[in-house]
Amino acid sequence: MSVSTTLPDWPPSLTPEQHSHLILLSSTYALTHGFTLLPPSSSQPPTSAIAAPLSLLPTPFPRGLYDLAVSLQPLYNALYARITLDWDFLDRVMGGSVSKVDTFQGELWRGWKSIREDLVQPLQLGLFRSDYLLHDGEKEGISIKQVEFNTIAASFGALSQRAGEMHKYLSKATNGYFSISPHLSNPSNFPANEPLKNLAAGLAEGWKAYGNKDAVILFVVQDGERNVFDQKWLEFELLESHSIPVIRHTFSELSTLAQIDPTTKNLLLPSPLQPSLPAREVSVIYYRSAYTPTDYPSSAEWSTRLLLETSKAIKCPSMALQLSGAKKIQQVLSEPEVLEDFLLGDHRPDVGFGKGAGSLTQEDVDRLRLTWIGLYPMDNSELGKKAYTLATSQPEKYVLKPQREGGGNNIYRENIPSYLEELAEEDKHKIEGEPEKKEGYILMELIEPPKGLRNLLVKGGENKSRLADIVSELGVYGVSLFGGKQVVNQTAGTLLRTKGRESDEGGVAIGISSIDSPLLVD
């Protein structure tokens, strides 16, 4: 689906006095409502916070494409749940060349394979986020194209809700942003968005399915996390709205604390603060860590991950579900008939749409495919050879992606040929029969966002904005509980991150991207 929407000239003009007033209102709103990050150098316990990077005004987004992205999320939830349950497919895709040339993915796949026959918890929980960019195809108009699908640590749900609430407050407090634009004066252009509420409800569904009202939810977190308030809001929501306590621990702490009952396989955590009390049973393990190699500085962290995986607790995500979010999976899905098999095959389990053929249609398949852009393997197949030619002869049209999460890992445009040469140089020292280094990557056609859109971006902790040519990335959250008779499949809200067009990579914590909200336009 594409639309012929002409995005409005943006932002509308503000007087210096109006601009200063919006800076004051937005910064005080952010600080008083927990729309915050820790400063780059913060003490423990923290004694200060800064406003999260934000946009002074919401950013125009075509209403029809926003509605489309939201409507597709249950389909994507079902797709990735079914991928996760297909061990043969994961073995073929992730257990092949990727596991041999990518150390991190190899450890993840081999670890999962070593313990998967002994798993005692069939239920799996996914808090997903599907990310899209607007694509200006010139002839066909503006459409949305998927950047990636996140199956682990899909962050900023709480802060995204706060961003939308802040923009609504600014509009109400200033007579529709001083009546500078009719788009800003219409409340229906500010979509309802409650990812904090919905993601917490998803974790609560996992807790309820586990079936022990005295159990806790475990957040596995990184050391020195600056995005702690986004996580804390989830913790508060679980406690206040669902009466579910949360315990936070890092991998290093869990390596000495985590215990598994040999009979029940319950995951038990004694309290370091009250060691005389009985250990608490864990119902759900929610990872806001474990997605990057730096989270596993030694073999001890991998051993802890495997220990947690073999427990009775519901994992969010499991190691299999984390593997399903790899870029290589995204690329293989684009190959002929693969998507059809997962969504239309009569042997597929019920993950929220019923079982097998008839629960979904070819129209559903086509709707998903419309959100994809060119994806290619970097192997020695005929398609892989074509990709190599494209990457070296027309690099300005492509991005080279490794199997990584968290941003800052991609190779863009003119940097691709020299990077492939570096990989080829490394291959001169490989053992005969091993795959080439490039097989750990995929090639993706660059999405071309519409040009000419600008906004006022405020870096965290600063009392000024900069006017930037922008690119906005829309994320749609989803909740999926699957693997047993209890099935949940829901859309859970959205996130809009906006950055200056000059930057290929994002990153809210480092100040490149701002947390924004969409202003729907027709």
mmCIF file of all heavy atoms in Angstrom, residues 1 61-79 130 132 144 146 149 343 352-353 360 363-368 370-371 474-478 489-494 520:
data_model
loop_
_atom_site.group_PDB
_atom_site.id
_atom_site.type_symbol
_atom_site.label_atom_id
_atom_site.label_comp_id
_atom_site.label_asym_id
_atom_site.label_seq_id
_atom_site.Cartn_x
_atom_site.Cartn_y
_atom_site.Cartn_z
ATOM 1 N N MET A 1 0.836 -1.188 0.000
ATOM 2 C CA MET A 1 0.000 0.000 0.000
ATOM 3 C C MET A 1 0.871 1.237 0.000
ATOM 4 O O MET A 1 1.846 1.348 0.744
ATOM 5 C CB MET A 1 -0.900 0.010 1.244
ATOM 6 C CG MET A 1 -1.687 1.298 1.424
ATOM 7 S SD MET A 1 -2.646 1.276 2.966
ATOM 8 C CE MET A 1 -3.259 2.957 2.970
ATOM 9 N N PHE A 61 3.018 12.200 9.947
ATOM 10 C CA PHE A 61 3.120 10.820 9.459
ATOM 11 C C PHE A 61 1.794 10.485 8.778
ATOM 12 O O PHE A 61 0.727 10.776 9.330
ATOM 13 C CB PHE A 61 3.377 9.864 10.621
ATOM 14 C CG PHE A 61 3.955 8.543 10.212
ATOM 15 C CD1 PHE A 61 5.320 8.309 10.274
ATOM 16 C CD2 PHE A 61 3.134 7.514 9.760
ATOM 17 C CE1 PHE A 61 5.860 7.089 9.901
ATOM 18 C CE2 PHE A 61 3.653 6.293 9.380
ATOM 19 C CZ PHE A 61 5.029 6.079 9.450
ATOM 20 N N PRO A 62 1.825 9.890 7.578
ATOM 21 C CA PRO A 62 0.574 9.578 6.876
ATOM 22 C C PRO A 62 -0.334 8.658 7.698
ATOM 23 O O PRO A 62 0.083 7.573 8.118
ATOM 24 C CB PRO A 62 1.044 8.897 5.592
ATOM 25 C CG PRO A 62 2.432 9.410 5.374
ATOM 26 C CD PRO A 62 3.007 9.564 6.751
ATOM 27 N N ARG A 63 -1.556 9.084 7.900
ATOM 28 C CA ARG A 63 -2.492 8.335 8.746
ATOM 29 C C ARG A 63 -2.715 6.908 8.225
ATOM 30 O O ARG A 63 -2.728 5.953 8.995
ATOM 31 C CB ARG A 63 -3.832 9.076 8.805
ATOM 32 C CG ARG A 63 -4.809 8.509 9.835
ATOM 33 C CD ARG A 63 -6.177 9.211 9.733
ATOM 34 N NE ARG A 63 -6.051 10.652 9.800
ATOM 35 C CZ ARG A 63 -6.081 11.347 10.942
ATOM 36 N NH1 ARG A 63 -6.244 10.721 12.081
ATOM 37 N NH2 ARG A 63 -5.972 12.675 10.917
ATOM 38 N N GLY A 64 -2.907 6.765 6.909
ATOM 39 C CA GLY A 64 -3.174 5.446 6.351
ATOM 40 C C GLY A 64 -2.029 4.473 6.558
ATOM 41 O O GLY A 64 -2.247 3.279 6.804
ATOM 42 N N LEU A 65 -0.792 4.964 6.477
ATOM 43 C CA LEU A 65 0.362 4.089 6.659
ATOM 44 C C LEU A 65 0.589 3.765 8.132
ATOM 45 O O LEU A 65 1.043 2.670 8.472
ATOM 46 C CB LEU A 65 1.603 4.741 6.047
ATOM 47 C CG LEU A 65 1.545 4.931 4.529
ATOM 48 C CD1 LEU A 65 2.833 5.567 4.008
ATOM 49 C CD2 LEU A 65 1.283 3.606 3.809
ATOM 50 N N TYR A 66 0.287 4.711 8.985
ATOM 51 C CA TYR A 66 0.347 4.433 10.425
ATOM 52 C C TYR A 66 -0.657 3.326 10.774
ATOM 53 O O TYR A 66 -0.312 2.355 11.454
ATOM 54 C CB TYR A 66 0.039 5.706 11.202
ATOM 55 C CG TYR A 66 0.055 5.533 12.708
ATOM 56 C CD1 TYR A 66 1.239 5.678 13.431
ATOM 57 C CD2 TYR A 66 -1.121 5.229 13.410
ATOM 58 C CE1 TYR A 66 1.250 5.521 14.814
ATOM 59 C CE2 TYR A 66 -1.114 5.075 14.790
ATOM 60 C CZ TYR A 66 0.076 5.221 15.489
ATOM 61 O OH TYR A 66 0.091 5.066 16.855
ATOM 62 N N ASP A 67 -1.883 3.465 10.294
ATOM 63 C CA ASP A 67 -2.910 2.450 10.570
ATOM 64 C C ASP A 67 -2.526 1.098 9.985
ATOM 65 O O ASP A 67 -2.790 0.048 10.589
ATOM 66 C CB ASP A 67 -4.255 2.903 10.003
ATOM 67 C CG ASP A 67 -4.837 4.109 10.735
ATOM 68 O OD1 ASP A 67 -4.400 4.392 11.864
ATOM 69 O OD2 ASP A 67 -5.723 4.779 10.152
ATOM 70 N N LEU A 68 -1.902 1.111 8.811
ATOM 71 C CA LEU A 68 -1.461 -0.140 8.198
ATOM 72 C C LEU A 68 -0.419 -0.828 9.061
ATOM 73 O O LEU A 68 -0.518 -2.041 9.333
ATOM 74 C CB LEU A 68 -0.885 0.126 6.806
ATOM 75 C CG LEU A 68 -0.218 -1.071 6.113
ATOM 76 C CD1 LEU A 68 -1.228 -2.181 5.854
ATOM 77 C CD2 LEU A 68 0.461 -0.640 4.809
ATOM 78 N N ALA A 69 0.589 -0.097 9.501
ATOM 79 C CA ALA A 69 1.648 -0.685 10.318
ATOM 80 C C ALA A 69 1.076 -1.292 11.594
ATOM 81 O O ALA A 69 1.457 -2.403 12.005
ATOM 82 C CB ALA A 69 2.699 0.374 10.648
ATOM 83 N N VAL A 70 0.158 -0.587 12.232
ATOM 84 C CA VAL A 70 -0.457 -1.093 13.455
ATOM 85 C C VAL A 70 -1.267 -2.352 13.173
ATOM 86 O O VAL A 70 -1.215 -3.341 13.928
ATOM 87 C CB VAL A 70 -1.346 0.002 14.097
ATOM 88 C CG1 VAL A 70 -2.183 -0.577 15.228
ATOM 89 C CG2 VAL A 70 -0.479 1.154 14.608
ATOM 90 N N SER A 71 -1.994 -2.370 12.063
ATOM 91 C CA SER A 71 -2.853 -3.516 11.747
ATOM 92 C C SER A 71 -2.054 -4.765 11.398
ATOM 93 O O SER A 71 -2.547 -5.887 11.547
ATOM 94 C CB SER A 71 -3.788 -3.162 10.585
ATOM 95 O OG SER A 71 -3.076 -3.076 9.352
ATOM 96 N N LEU A 72 -0.809 -4.592 10.928
ATOM 97 C CA LEU A 72 0.008 -5.732 10.523
ATOM 98 C C LEU A 72 0.665 -6.446 11.701
ATOM 99 O O LEU A 72 1.127 -7.590 11.553
ATOM 100 C CB LEU A 72 1.114 -5.274 9.559
ATOM 101 C CG LEU A 72 0.686 -4.857 8.158
ATOM 102 C CD1 LEU A 72 1.896 -4.358 7.363
ATOM 103 C CD2 LEU A 72 0.016 -6.002 7.420
ATOM 104 N N GLN A 73 0.712 -5.804 12.856
ATOM 105 C CA GLN A 73 1.500 -6.379 13.944
ATOM 106 C C GLN A 73 1.049 -7.774 14.367
ATOM 107 O O GLN A 73 1.903 -8.647 14.590
ATOM 108 C CB GLN A 73 1.518 -5.430 15.143
ATOM 109 C CG GLN A 73 2.526 -5.813 16.220
ATOM 110 C CD GLN A 73 3.948 -5.836 15.689
ATOM 111 O OE1 GLN A 73 4.320 -5.028 14.840
ATOM 112 N NE2 GLN A 73 4.748 -6.779 16.190
ATOM 113 N N PRO A 74 -0.249 -8.061 14.483
ATOM 114 C CA PRO A 74 -0.625 -9.443 14.833
ATOM 115 C C PRO A 74 -0.130 -10.479 13.821
ATOM 116 O O PRO A 74 0.198 -11.612 14.198
ATOM 117 C CB PRO A 74 -2.159 -9.392 14.877
ATOM 118 C CG PRO A 74 -2.466 -7.965 15.223
ATOM 119 C CD PRO A 74 -1.427 -7.172 14.480
ATOM 120 N N LEU A 75 -0.071 -10.108 12.542
ATOM 121 C CA LEU A 75 0.471 -11.024 11.534
ATOM 122 C C LEU A 75 1.953 -11.285 11.787
ATOM 123 O O LEU A 75 2.425 -12.430 11.706
ATOM 124 C CB LEU A 75 0.283 -10.443 10.131
ATOM 125 C CG LEU A 75 -1.145 -10.330 9.609
ATOM 126 C CD1 LEU A 75 -1.146 -9.623 8.256
ATOM 127 C CD2 LEU A 75 -1.782 -11.707 9.481
ATOM 128 N N TYR A 76 2.690 -10.212 12.084
ATOM 129 C CA TYR A 76 4.118 -10.381 12.376
ATOM 130 C C TYR A 76 4.323 -11.172 13.663
ATOM 131 O O TYR A 76 5.238 -12.002 13.751
ATOM 132 C CB TYR A 76 4.801 -9.017 12.457
ATOM 133 C CG TYR A 76 5.304 -8.514 11.132
ATOM 134 C CD1 TYR A 76 4.791 -7.360 10.566
ATOM 135 C CD2 TYR A 76 6.307 -9.199 10.446
ATOM 136 C CE1 TYR A 76 5.255 -6.897 9.339
ATOM 137 C CE2 TYR A 76 6.775 -8.740 9.225
ATOM 138 C CZ TYR A 76 6.253 -7.595 8.668
ATOM 139 O OH TYR A 76 6.713 -7.140 7.454
ATOM 140 N N ASN A 77 3.484 -10.928 14.677
ATOM 141 C CA ASN A 77 3.579 -11.715 15.898
ATOM 142 C C ASN A 77 3.439 -13.205 15.599
ATOM 143 O O ASN A 77 4.208 -14.037 16.086
ATOM 144 C CB ASN A 77 2.474 -11.307 16.886
ATOM 145 C CG ASN A 77 2.605 -9.895 17.404
ATOM 146 O OD1 ASN A 77 3.638 -9.253 17.266
ATOM 147 N ND2 ASN A 77 1.535 -9.414 18.021
ATOM 148 N N ALA A 78 2.422 -13.539 14.804
ATOM 149 C CA ALA A 78 2.169 -14.941 14.463
ATOM 150 C C ALA A 78 3.325 -15.528 13.659
ATOM 151 O O ALA A 78 3.746 -16.670 13.893
ATOM 152 C CB ALA A 78 0.865 -15.049 13.672
ATOM 153 N N LEU A 79 3.838 -14.752 12.724
ATOM 154 C CA LEU A 79 4.937 -15.230 11.883
ATOM 155 C C LEU A 79 6.147 -15.606 12.720
ATOM 156 O O LEU A 79 6.713 -16.709 12.585
ATOM 157 C CB LEU A 79 5.308 -14.143 10.867
ATOM 158 C CG LEU A 79 6.566 -14.389 10.034
ATOM 159 C CD1 LEU A 79 6.421 -15.644 9.188
ATOM 160 C CD2 LEU A 79 6.863 -13.178 9.152
ATOM 161 N N SER A 130 8.323 -4.074 15.547
ATOM 162 C CA SER A 130 8.602 -4.062 14.111
ATOM 163 C C SER A 130 8.862 -2.625 13.690
ATOM 164 O O SER A 130 8.012 -1.745 13.884
ATOM 165 C CB SER A 130 7.406 -4.640 13.338
ATOM 166 O OG SER A 130 7.695 -4.723 11.959
ATOM 167 N N TYR A 132 9.814 0.475 10.981
ATOM 168 C CA TYR A 132 9.565 0.865 9.593
ATOM 169 C C TYR A 132 10.106 2.278 9.323
ATOM 170 O O TYR A 132 10.140 3.125 10.221
ATOM 171 C CB TYR A 132 8.061 0.895 9.288
ATOM 172 C CG TYR A 132 7.317 -0.372 9.574
ATOM 173 C CD1 TYR A 132 6.745 -0.599 10.823
ATOM 174 C CD2 TYR A 132 7.156 -1.346 8.591
ATOM 175 C CE1 TYR A 132 6.037 -1.752 11.088
ATOM 176 C CE2 TYR A 132 6.438 -2.505 8.857
ATOM 177 C CZ TYR A 132 5.887 -2.710 10.097
ATOM 178 O OH TYR A 132 5.182 -3.855 10.359
ATOM 179 N N ILE A 144 5.437 2.316 3.466
ATOM 180 C CA ILE A 144 6.282 1.956 4.596
ATOM 181 C C ILE A 144 7.066 0.702 4.238
ATOM 182 O O ILE A 144 6.555 -0.202 3.590
ATOM 183 C CB ILE A 144 5.480 1.732 5.894
ATOM 184 C CG1 ILE A 144 4.357 0.708 5.695
ATOM 185 C CG2 ILE A 144 4.944 3.036 6.451
ATOM 186 C CD1 ILE A 144 3.733 0.233 7.000
ATOM 187 N N GLN A 146 9.809 -2.189 6.041
ATOM 188 C CA GLN A 146 10.331 -2.686 7.308
ATOM 189 C C GLN A 146 11.850 -2.616 7.345
ATOM 190 O O GLN A 146 12.532 -3.060 6.417
ATOM 191 C CB GLN A 146 9.884 -4.128 7.543
ATOM 192 C CG GLN A 146 10.227 -4.648 8.930
ATOM 193 C CD GLN A 146 9.860 -6.105 9.112
ATOM 194 O OE1 GLN A 146 10.346 -6.966 8.380
ATOM 195 N NE2 GLN A 146 9.001 -6.399 10.086
ATOM 196 N N PHE A 149 12.904 -6.560 12.557
ATOM 197 C CA PHE A 149 11.940 -7.046 13.539
ATOM 198 C C PHE A 149 12.723 -7.426 14.797
ATOM 199 O O PHE A 149 13.625 -8.256 14.752
ATOM 200 C CB PHE A 149 11.167 -8.257 13.005
ATOM 201 C CG PHE A 149 9.978 -8.626 13.841
ATOM 202 C CD1 PHE A 149 8.737 -8.056 13.594
ATOM 203 C CD2 PHE A 149 10.093 -9.535 14.881
ATOM 204 C CE1 PHE A 149 7.626 -8.388 14.367
ATOM 205 C CE2 PHE A 149 8.994 -9.879 15.657
ATOM 206 C CZ PHE A 149 7.751 -9.304 15.399
ATOM 207 N N LEU A 343 2.762 -18.833 7.058
ATOM 208 C CA LEU A 343 1.454 -18.250 7.350
ATOM 209 C C LEU A 343 0.285 -19.083 6.833
ATOM 210 O O LEU A 343 -0.807 -19.032 7.397
ATOM 211 C CB LEU A 343 1.368 -16.837 6.772
ATOM 212 C CG LEU A 343 2.257 -15.782 7.447
ATOM 213 C CD1 LEU A 343 1.958 -14.402 6.888
ATOM 214 C CD2 LEU A 343 2.092 -15.783 8.962
ATOM 215 N N GLY A 352 -2.516 -17.530 17.581
ATOM 216 C CA GLY A 352 -3.364 -16.357 17.664
ATOM 217 C C GLY A 352 -4.254 -16.149 16.462
ATOM 218 O O GLY A 352 -5.060 -15.229 16.435
ATOM 219 N N PHE A 353 -4.115 -17.005 15.443
ATOM 220 C CA PHE A 353 -4.966 -16.902 14.258
ATOM 221 C C PHE A 353 -5.646 -18.222 13.928
ATOM 222 O O PHE A 353 -6.134 -18.421 12.832
ATOM 223 C CB PHE A 353 -4.134 -16.466 13.042
ATOM 224 C CG PHE A 353 -3.952 -14.974 12.951
ATOM 225 C CD1 PHE A 353 -2.763 -14.390 13.328
ATOM 226 C CD2 PHE A 353 -4.972 -14.159 12.498
ATOM 227 C CE1 PHE A 353 -2.586 -13.012 13.253
ATOM 228 C CE2 PHE A 353 -4.800 -12.783 12.415
ATOM 229 C CZ PHE A 353 -3.608 -12.207 12.798
ATOM 230 N N LEU A 360 -5.358 -17.813 7.935
ATOM 231 C CA LEU A 360 -4.809 -16.633 7.263
ATOM 232 C C LEU A 360 -4.969 -16.823 5.763
ATOM 233 O O LEU A 360 -5.172 -17.937 5.272
ATOM 234 C CB LEU A 360 -3.336 -16.437 7.633
ATOM 235 C CG LEU A 360 -3.058 -16.070 9.098
ATOM 236 C CD1 LEU A 360 -1.581 -16.154 9.409
ATOM 237 C CD2 LEU A 360 -3.586 -14.695 9.427
ATOM 238 N N GLU A 363 -4.009 -12.797 0.941
ATOM 239 C CA GLU A 363 -4.025 -11.338 1.098
ATOM 240 C C GLU A 363 -3.170 -10.909 2.285
ATOM 241 O O GLU A 363 -2.469 -9.890 2.218
ATOM 242 C CB GLU A 363 -5.459 -10.833 1.281
ATOM 243 C CG GLU A 363 -5.552 -9.313 1.423
ATOM 244 C CD GLU A 363 -6.971 -8.828 1.653
ATOM 245 O OE1 GLU A 363 -7.906 -9.665 1.631
ATOM 246 O OE2 GLU A 363 -7.141 -7.613 1.874
ATOM 247 N N ASP A 364 -3.207 -11.686 3.372
ATOM 248 C CA ASP A 364 -2.355 -11.384 4.528
ATOM 249 C C ASP A 364 -0.886 -11.474 4.154
ATOM 250 O O ASP A 364 -0.067 -10.629 4.552
ATOM 251 C CB ASP A 364 -2.660 -12.356 5.674
ATOM 252 C CG ASP A 364 -4.055 -12.183 6.228
ATOM 253 O OD1 ASP A 364 -4.479 -11.033 6.412
ATOM 254 O OD2 ASP A 364 -4.718 -13.211 6.464
ATOM 255 N N VAL A 365 -0.539 -12.508 3.410
ATOM 256 C CA VAL A 365 0.839 -12.672 2.942
ATOM 257 C C VAL A 365 1.262 -11.483 2.093
ATOM 258 O O VAL A 365 2.349 -10.912 2.267
ATOM 259 C CB VAL A 365 0.979 -13.982 2.147
ATOM 260 C CG1 VAL A 365 2.358 -14.073 1.498
ATOM 261 C CG2 VAL A 365 0.733 -15.188 3.053
ATOM 262 N N ASP A 366 0.405 -11.094 1.168
ATOM 263 C CA ASP A 366 0.735 -9.987 0.266
ATOM 264 C C ASP A 366 0.901 -8.675 1.026
ATOM 265 O O ASP A 366 1.763 -7.859 0.687
ATOM 266 C CB ASP A 366 -0.359 -9.839 -0.795
ATOM 267 C CG ASP A 366 -0.440 -11.033 -1.730
ATOM 268 O OD1 ASP A 366 0.553 -11.788 -1.808
ATOM 269 O OD2 ASP A 366 -1.502 -11.240 -2.361
ATOM 270 N N ARG A 367 0.088 -8.466 2.059
ATOM 271 C CA ARG A 367 0.189 -7.234 2.844
ATOM 272 C C ARG A 367 1.540 -7.147 3.546
ATOM 273 O O ARG A 367 2.148 -6.081 3.610
ATOM 274 C CB ARG A 367 -0.944 -7.162 3.864
ATOM 275 C CG ARG A 367 -2.321 -6.932 3.251
ATOM 276 C CD ARG A 367 -3.398 -7.080 4.307
ATOM 277 N NE ARG A 367 -3.391 -5.964 5.241
ATOM 278 C CZ ARG A 367 -3.621 -6.081 6.553
ATOM 279 N NH1 ARG A 367 -3.845 -7.280 7.072
ATOM 280 N NH2 ARG A 367 -3.624 -5.030 7.328
ATOM 281 N N LEU A 368 2.007 -8.276 4.065
ATOM 282 C CA LEU A 368 3.328 -8.263 4.698
ATOM 283 C C LEU A 368 4.424 -8.010 3.672
ATOM 284 O O LEU A 368 5.340 -7.210 3.910
ATOM 285 C CB LEU A 368 3.589 -9.592 5.419
ATOM 286 C CG LEU A 368 2.880 -9.847 6.747
ATOM 287 C CD1 LEU A 368 3.465 -11.072 7.424
ATOM 288 C CD2 LEU A 368 2.975 -8.652 7.679
ATOM 289 N N LEU A 370 4.380 -6.371 1.022
ATOM 290 C CA LEU A 370 4.410 -4.980 0.571
ATOM 291 C C LEU A 370 5.265 -4.099 1.464
ATOM 292 O O LEU A 370 5.697 -3.018 1.054
ATOM 293 C CB LEU A 370 2.986 -4.423 0.495
ATOM 294 C CG LEU A 370 2.137 -4.875 -0.695
ATOM 295 C CD1 LEU A 370 0.700 -4.355 -0.557
ATOM 296 C CD2 LEU A 370 2.749 -4.390 -2.012
ATOM 297 N N THR A 371 5.525 -4.539 2.694
ATOM 298 C CA THR A 371 6.355 -3.742 3.604
ATOM 299 C C THR A 371 7.835 -4.084 3.491
ATOM 300 O O THR A 371 8.646 -3.514 4.228
ATOM 301 C CB THR A 371 5.906 -3.941 5.069
ATOM 302 O OG1 THR A 371 6.180 -5.289 5.474
ATOM 303 C CG2 THR A 371 4.427 -3.641 5.229
ATOM 304 N N LEU A 474 9.287 4.476 12.577
ATOM 305 C CA LEU A 474 8.110 4.051 13.344
ATOM 306 C C LEU A 474 8.284 2.615 13.807
ATOM 307 O O LEU A 474 8.509 1.716 13.002
ATOM 308 C CB LEU A 474 6.847 4.167 12.484
ATOM 309 C CG LEU A 474 5.544 3.714 13.147
ATOM 310 C CD1 LEU A 474 5.132 4.669 14.251
ATOM 311 C CD2 LEU A 474 4.426 3.572 12.100
ATOM 312 N N GLY A 475 8.164 2.401 15.103
ATOM 313 C CA GLY A 475 8.175 1.051 15.654
ATOM 314 C C GLY A 475 6.790 0.695 16.158
ATOM 315 O O GLY A 475 6.116 1.523 16.774
ATOM 316 N N VAL A 476 6.354 -0.525 15.889
ATOM 317 C CA VAL A 476 5.057 -1.007 16.374
ATOM 318 C C VAL A 476 5.317 -2.175 17.312
ATOM 319 O O VAL A 476 5.952 -3.171 16.938
ATOM 320 C CB VAL A 476 4.131 -1.443 15.227
ATOM 321 C CG1 VAL A 476 2.776 -1.876 15.776
ATOM 322 C CG2 VAL A 476 3.959 -0.323 14.214
ATOM 323 N N TYR A 477 4.845 -2.052 18.544
ATOM 324 C CA TYR A 477 5.044 -3.092 19.550
ATOM 325 C C TYR A 477 3.981 -4.175 19.431
ATOM 326 O O TYR A 477 2.839 -3.912 19.051
ATOM 327 C CB TYR A 477 4.972 -2.499 20.957
ATOM 328 C CG TYR A 477 6.073 -1.521 21.276
ATOM 329 C CD1 TYR A 477 5.838 -0.148 21.264
ATOM 330 C CD2 TYR A 477 7.348 -1.963 21.610
ATOM 331 C CE1 TYR A 477 6.841 0.757 21.577
ATOM 332 C CE2 TYR A 477 8.365 -1.068 21.916
ATOM 333 C CZ TYR A 477 8.099 0.296 21.896
ATOM 334 O OH TYR A 477 9.100 1.182 22.195
ATOM 335 N N GLY A 478 4.391 -5.392 19.783
ATOM 336 C CA GLY A 478 3.456 -6.507 19.819
ATOM 337 C C GLY A 478 3.731 -7.402 21.000
ATOM 338 O O GLY A 478 4.865 -7.463 21.503
ATOM 339 N N ASN A 489 -2.027 -12.709 21.338
ATOM 340 C CA ASN A 489 -1.470 -12.085 20.135
ATOM 341 C C ASN A 489 -2.089 -10.700 20.008
ATOM 342 O O ASN A 489 -3.243 -10.569 19.598
ATOM 343 C CB ASN A 489 -1.765 -12.934 18.906
ATOM 344 C CG ASN A 489 -1.156 -12.354 17.640
ATOM 345 O OD1 ASN A 489 -0.700 -11.211 17.609
ATOM 346 N ND2 ASN A 489 -1.135 -13.149 16.584
ATOM 347 N N GLN A 490 -1.323 -9.672 20.362
ATOM 348 C CA GLN A 490 -1.877 -8.326 20.427
ATOM 349 C C GLN A 490 -0.889 -7.284 19.916
ATOM 350 O O GLN A 490 0.329 -7.462 20.011
ATOM 351 C CB GLN A 490 -2.253 -7.985 21.877
ATOM 352 C CG GLN A 490 -3.315 -8.878 22.481
ATOM 353 C CD GLN A 490 -3.493 -8.661 23.966
ATOM 354 O OE1 GLN A 490 -2.677 -8.017 24.615
ATOM 355 N NE2 GLN A 490 -4.568 -9.210 24.508
ATOM 356 N N THR A 491 -1.432 -6.190 19.389
ATOM 357 C CA THR A 491 -0.638 -4.988 19.141
ATOM 358 C C THR A 491 -0.545 -4.224 20.448
ATOM 359 O O THR A 491 -1.484 -4.230 21.244
ATOM 360 C CB THR A 491 -1.307 -4.115 18.065
ATOM 361 O OG1 THR A 491 -1.456 -4.900 16.873
ATOM 362 C CG2 THR A 491 -0.463 -2.893 17.749
ATOM 363 N N ALA A 492 0.592 -3.554 20.680
ATOM 364 C CA ALA A 492 0.814 -2.970 22.007
ATOM 365 C C ALA A 492 1.232 -1.508 21.976
ATOM 366 O O ALA A 492 1.739 -0.997 22.979
ATOM 367 C CB ALA A 492 1.856 -3.798 22.761
ATOM 368 N N GLY A 493 1.041 -0.815 20.853
ATOM 369 C CA GLY A 493 1.404 0.600 20.806
ATOM 370 C C GLY A 493 2.548 0.867 19.840
ATOM 371 O O GLY A 493 3.017 -0.038 19.142
ATOM 372 N N THR A 494 3.002 2.109 19.810
ATOM 373 C CA THR A 494 4.007 2.504 18.824
ATOM 374 C C THR A 494 5.101 3.368 19.452
ATOM 375 O O THR A 494 4.950 3.904 20.551
ATOM 376 C CB THR A 494 3.378 3.292 17.661
ATOM 377 O OG1 THR A 494 2.815 4.513 18.157
ATOM 378 C CG2 THR A 494 2.305 2.485 16.957
ATOM 379 N N LEU A 520 -0.747 12.573 12.825
ATOM 380 C CA LEU A 520 -1.345 11.906 11.671
ATOM 381 C C LEU A 520 -1.927 12.923 10.698
ATOM 382 O O LEU A 520 -2.683 13.823 11.086
ATOM 383 C CB LEU A 520 -2.409 10.923 12.133
ATOM 384 C CG LEU A 520 -1.930 9.844 13.116
ATOM 385 C CD1 LEU A 520 -3.043 8.863 13.434
ATOM 386 C CD2 LEU A 520 -0.695 9.118 12.590
#
